[in-house]
Amino acid sequence: MLLRRCATALAAATVLSASAAPAALADASPSPSPEVTLPAGLYGTGDPQYDAVWRQSTALLAQDALGVTPAESAVAWLADQQCDDGSFSSYRADPQAPCDAETPRDTNATAMAVQALAALRGADADAVGDAAAWLESVRNEDGGWAYYAGDPASDANSTAVVAGALNAAGRDGSGTDSPAAALSAFQLGCDAPDGQAGAFAHVPEENGDLKPNGLATASAALGAQGLGLAAEAAGEDAGKPTLPECGEDGRFPAERSAQAAAAYLSAELERNGGYLEFAMPGAEPQPDHSGTALAVIALAAGGYEDAAQEPLNWLADHHDRWQGLNESPAGLGQLVLAVRAAGGDPRAFGGTDLLDRLGATGPEPQPTKEPKGVASDGRDADGEDGNSAAVWWVVGSIFVAGVGVGLLVSLRKRGTGPNGPADGSANGSGGSSGGSSGGDAR
């Protein structure tokens, strides 16, 4: 436990999501070592050891959400990564070799693979059911999940991304036994310092205190709704997110947890001018592009359309500063899903065709008839007002969060995943594992 916290305290966080390592910790565009041969079906050219399943799943989810049929080789590569017990590791160089006791079972990679395979092959597919059953089997006694199976200390980001996965697999549970209910242990209540109520911590600190973490909050805002990275807009305008009343215990009711998280996110985004921040210990805070994109998805999925527009516009103006984004299937996939959730057009976002850039990082998708495009200003291809149509042209896509995020290669190299540091000091991401101006988008 102590070793785990010490290791994660030195690393920056990722996303449920597709985050990236701060520049101080990693090169912008990692390349595999000379002895690494990249599989033909894999997206991305970076070393696959720490994030392959996460980035592949995110890329496939994004393509599917926009009506694009991924290359069969890409889908087959992901399916072949599954172990016989249903779990996924971050990457298996030889998928024909059986998983043994030394193979690290990764809840975040497994959860993201569930989300992608459920969208592509259906929730009743054997691979989806087996992976969901494995996730249920490694649930901790506190009701949540840790990054690696066997670690008894759950974290908010892993619990959130698993919540989205189990919902995608049709087995999310309900009431006090639901993964969403387990997230409440990580949320700051009404007795929190000013401006912190509704936020989530990645994990409690050693003394039990909860420290607000933007990426964890965005991940949990999705997970508390049983949603994942491919969540769609709610379809109903919930107005401005406000803090609900707490119960007698000073905590938010589980059914209002996502609303409280949305209120915190909205206030933070407004305070910063449209983005979330992360900070390395001893360093100045920097914009967190990945966390901001995840917040857009969470707010749009909660029905807070207006609150999602400011960070969406900020990303349109600043995504070119997302370090390593063009080479990152996870970062590009997450941004595609954020733009789509908030009603923008990923094909024309801030002057960039995000879908085209995503496709350039891996196998060419199968030819399909694309849905009607909607301009990034909310108007459809015929010039009509498309604020509603922009959301619905992708109806039918399945969502799975949380948080995610995730996929910090440098974090994984230091013994942690895309969930961020245990002290909540930084948040940067497949995983549950995007990046920022201070980090790459691997």
Side-chain angles (χ1 to χ4, degrees):
M1 176 67 170
L2 180 59
L3 290 176
R4 171 179 177 269
R5 291 180 182 274
C6 289
T8 53
L10 295 175
T14 64
V15 133
L16 215 180
S17 66
S19 293
L25 296 180
D27 297 331
S29 300
S31 298
S33 54
E35 65 273 14
V36 174
T37 300
L38 293 174
L42 178 63
Y43 273 81
T45 59
D47 192 327
Q49 182 176 358
Y50 304 101
D51 74 335
V53 168
W54 181 277
R55 77 195 194 201
Q56 189 84 351
S57 299
T58 306
L60 298 180
L61 268 178
Q63 289 181 333
D64 178 76
L66 294 188
V68 175
T69 303
E72 182 54 38
S73 63
V75 181
W77 181 90
L78 178 62
D80 287 345
Q81 287 289 300
Q82 189 169 27
C83 295
D84 288 341
D85 63 3
S87 67
F88 284 77
S89 185
S90 301
Y91 173 64
R92 294 199 296 136
D94 181 6
Q96 303 305 316
C99 299
D100 57 23
E102 301 303 316
T103 303
R105 268 67 168 180
D106 181 337
T107 63
N108 287 229
T110 303
M112 280 302 296
V114 166
Q115 296 178 26
L117 293 173
L120 294 164
R121 294 187 170 178
D124 58 350
D126 290 343
V128 174
D130 292 346
W134 180 84
L135 286 170
E136 292 176 329
S137 75
V138 297
R139 190 174 190 177
N140 286 333
E141 292 185 2
D142 61 11
W145 282 264
Y147 193 92
Y148 288 113
D151 184 346
S154 301
D155 67 79
N157 300 58
S158 295
T159 302
V161 74
V162 171
L166 294 181
N167 181 56
R171 50 201 302 171
D172 58 327
S174 61
T176 57
D177 292 331
S178 70
L183 283 168
S184 62
F186 303 98
Q187 188 169 35
L188 283 76
C190 290
D191 58 350
D194 288 346
Q196 296 185 11
F200 279 78
H202 172 57
V203 293
E205 297 187 313
E206 293 292 346
N207 61 4
D209 289 345
L210 299 175
K211 183 177 181 179
N213 181 292
L215 183 63
T217 304
S219 299
L222 280 171
Q225 301 175 73
L227 299 175
L229 201 60
E232 299 179 38
E236 297 180 3
D237 186 0
K240 181 179 177 62
T242 58
L243 287 173
E245 294 184 2
C246 282
E248 294 182 358
D249 60 355
R251 307 192 65 79
F252 298 106
E255 64 272 15
R256 291 301 189 92
S257 178
Q259 177 186 338
Y264 171 81
L265 290 172
S266 179
E268 282 295 290
L269 291 163
E270 184 175 353
R271 180 177 68 84
N272 294 329
Y275 61 88
L276 295 180
E277 292 182 328
F278 79 88
M280 291 294 292
E284 290 295 320
Q286 301 181 52
D288 178 5
H289 291 73
S290 175
T292 302
L294 191 59
V296 170
I297 300 173
L299 291 170
Y304 306 109
E305 298 178 7
D306 289 344
Q309 290 307 305
E310 183 177 19
L312 182 69
N313 292 337
W314 184 88
L315 286 167
D317 292 337
H318 297 87
H319 69 280
D320 57 341
R321 301 180 186 178
W322 185 336
Q323 186 174 339
L325 179 65
N326 289 341
E327 295 77 36
S328 170
L332 287 166
Q334 182 171 308
L335 187 54
V336 165
L337 291 168
V339 176
R340 166 253 195 180
D345 182 8
R347 297 170 179 79
F349 183 66
T352 302
D353 186 336
L354 297 175
L355 190 62
D356 182 66
R357 289 195 179 180
L358 174 60
T361 66
E364 184 177 355
Q366 299 181 46
T368 58
K369 181 179 180 181
E370 297 182 356
K372 186 177 182 180
V374 179
S376 57
D377 63 357
R379 303 184 68 82
D380 64 26
D382 296 324
E384 300 296 331
D385 188 355
N387 289 332
S388 296
V391 176
W392 300 117
W393 54 272
V394 285
V395 167
S397 304
I398 300 175
F399 175 52
V400 249
V403 208
V405 230
L407 96 151
L408 260 198
V409 173
S410 70
L411 300 192
R412 305 289 300 270
K413 291 179 179 177
R414 289 163 174 77
T416 180
N419 293 326
D423 66 354
S425 61
N427 49 21
S429 169
S432 148
S433 330
S436 68
S437 60
D440 67 38
R442 287 171 294 186

